[in-house]
Every structure is written in C-alpha cells, then in structure tokens.
Amino acid sequence: MRRTLAVLLLAFFALCSSGCIYLRLLELKRQFAQFDRYFEADVRDGLKLTCKTPVLLDEDMAFFRLVPESRQRTGVAERWHFHWIKAGLPPTADPRDHELTADFIYVEHKLTRVILPERFFAFFPKPLFLALLRSLGHAEIDRKKRTAHSTLNEKIDSPDAAPPFTASDLKNMLGAPLEMLPVETRSQWHYRYQAASPDQRSGRIDIVFTVDGPTQHVRRIKGTVFDSTVDVSLER
C-alpha cells in the first residue's frame, strides 16, 4: 500500500535578521536535503535523531522560542528537557499518564541529538515525520516573514506507513480529546498540551485531527506545534 502526503507549512526556521544564525539555518536546510548523510534516525521506542555534523547552537533556541523546563549538564554535554501536560484533564487524572516530553542533547553547545517519545507520534506518524524533515531540505524560505514553506507531495513505501492512522490509534496514544466537533460526515478531534512548568517557554501544542466517519481514518492534522504552523493531509 502507498500513502500520499500533501501540504506542510512550517515556521520551523523562524528566520531572523542575524546573519550568523541565518547561515547556520541554511546549512541545516542543506543537510536535510541529504538526510541520510547528515542524520541517523533510531525509530525504536519513539525517535532518537542524531546529527552527525551538528549545526545549531544552544543560543539559537531563543529564536525558536524554545526554553526548556530543566537543564542537566554532564561534562561537555547538556540535556534540555521539555515537558507538556494535556489540557482538560479531570481532577482525578494523573498528569503523568497524559504528558509529552522531548529532550535535546547538546555537546559543546551544539545540538547533537533530539529524543521524542512514542506518544509524540500521534501528531506525526514516524514515516511522515521523517518525510517532513527531508522535505525541509527543499523548503522555500521567506526571510522577511520568518517562515519556511515546504510542500510534501510524494508517495512513501514503508511497512510502517502501510496501515492507515485511525481514531482508535489516536485515542490509544493520546486519550480522549479536549473537544470533538462534527463536520458533515467527519469529526474534528481537538487536543491541547501546555507547558508543565511556568519556566518553560516553548509554545503550546494545539492540534485538530479530522476523522472520517465511515472509515474512522485520520484524514488531516492541522494546528500549532512549538510555535510552528502545521497542515498535513493524509488523504489516500
């Protein structure tokens, strides 16, 4: 089976007027275009993405509005931990059962590894997420608007990509949505995650999944992740 993915809009690059970071972001874009040469992706139990030739610096994260909940230094390495809690939980719920985390590993101030848990991939199934990263290598950059626009319109052959992403998969990974709105023969499942700590400034995760009524397949993922706008069609 083959799945067609279309339309991605990211403010991922958040391009600024600073010449130094602009050059580093252009180098990162070049690396995404040669993904297998510059990155290693371990998809067992979430995703561990290793940068073979690190480009971004810890100081660059301010331009992405990424400030971690905590930092832990070990020798020349530092681990930045991000932590979000699902909005709309009942008072009796344990927040730990409904959290999202991400970890950035820096070595000598360079971003060397990003670690994302399995639950994160309700928002982006892994083959899609990796395809989106590859597509950024061909993104159209608007420096004035501080955005990068990439259209992914390709077919992905992968055993992981074959099964459709269903409402049952979504609920198993993220639980019940904050709200569910009917739209003709489909429904929109709205999820929101907010920073667990007031010290963490990394933008909320606010996503709407469009679910087809007859098939219960997720057809669209649209919203905001880390101050980036995402609009992905999963129409087959």
Side-chain angles (χ1 to χ4, degrees):
M1 298 177 67
R2 306 183 76 183
R3 171 176 297 171
T4 301
L5 312 172
V7 186
L8 162 69
L9 177 63
L10 284 179
F12 175 83
F13 283 99
L15 296 175
C16 62
S17 58
S18 170
C20 293
I21 186 176
Y22 180 67
L23 292 177
R24 286 195 291 273
L25 290 169
L26 287 180
E27 172 60 21
L28 182 62
K29 176 178 180 289
R30 186 183 71 84
Q31 290 188 5
F32 279 136
Q34 303 177 67
F35 189 87
D36 293 332
R37 177 179 176 182
Y38 288 101
F39 299 95
E40 180 180 328
D42 182 349
V43 297
R44 295 169 297 180
D45 189 21
L47 173 68
K48 300 176 183 67
L49 184 68
T50 300
C51 309
K52 298 178 183 179
T53 308
V55 174
L56 291 182
L57 305 178
D58 50 9
E59 64 186 42
D60 294 335
M61 294 303 105
F63 293 106
F64 299 106
R65 301 181 180 90
L66 288 175
V67 178
E69 179 185 48
S70 63
R71 302 182 186 187
Q72 181 179 0
R73 178 171 288 279
T74 305
V76 298
E78 187 173 56
R79 188 184 191 105
W80 289 23
H81 181 70
F82 299 88
H83 182 198
W84 298 267
I85 295 294
K86 184 180 175 183
L89 292 178
T92 56
D94 186 344
R96 291 173 296 182
D97 294 333
H98 302 273
E99 65 181 7
L100 286 174
T101 62
D103 290 275
F104 289 7
I105 309 299
Y106 295 90
V107 176
E108 296 182 338
H109 301 286
K110 292 185 177 182
L111 181 59
T112 303
R113 176 175 286 187
V114 175
I115 302 173
L116 301 174
E118 192 68 35
R119 186 176 290 169
F120 185 88
F121 294 98
F123 299 102
F124 307 97
K126 289 177 191 176
L128 169 62
F129 183 79
L130 293 175
L132 299 185
L133 292 181
R134 293 173 187 272
S135 77
L136 288 173
H138 308 285
E140 297 177 4
I141 297 175
D142 188 325
R143 190 173 180 182
K144 184 177 180 180
K145 293 183 179 179
R146 299 161 62 93
T147 63
H149 180 204
S150 178
T151 299
L152 177 61
N153 190 15
E154 62 182 81
K155 294 184 178 180
I156 298 176
D157 291 304
S158 166
D160 295 330
F165 187 47
T166 68
S168 178
D169 297 329
L170 183 59
K171 194 167 185 179
N172 287 338
M173 295 184 79
L174 298 182
L178 180 64
E179 60 181 348
M180 189 183 300
L181 302 175
V183 181
E184 296 179 347
T185 61
R186 299 184 171 188
S187 60
Q188 293 183 337
W189 295 30
H190 181 199
Y191 289 85
R192 178 180 297 156
Y193 286 77
Q194 298 170 324
S197 167
D199 297 327
Q200 178 178 316
R201 298 190 304 278
S202 54
R204 70 185 184 190
I205 301 172
D206 205 333
I207 295 288
V208 174
F209 297 83
T210 299
V211 178
D212 181 65
T215 65
Q216 289 293 287
H217 294 171
V218 176
R219 297 302 195 188
R220 190 177 187 183
I221 304 171
K222 183 178 181 180
T224 302
V225 179
F226 315 153
D227 292 323
S228 298
T229 301
V230 179
D231 190 349
V232 181
S233 170
L234 294 177
E235 299 287 354
R236 298 171 69 90

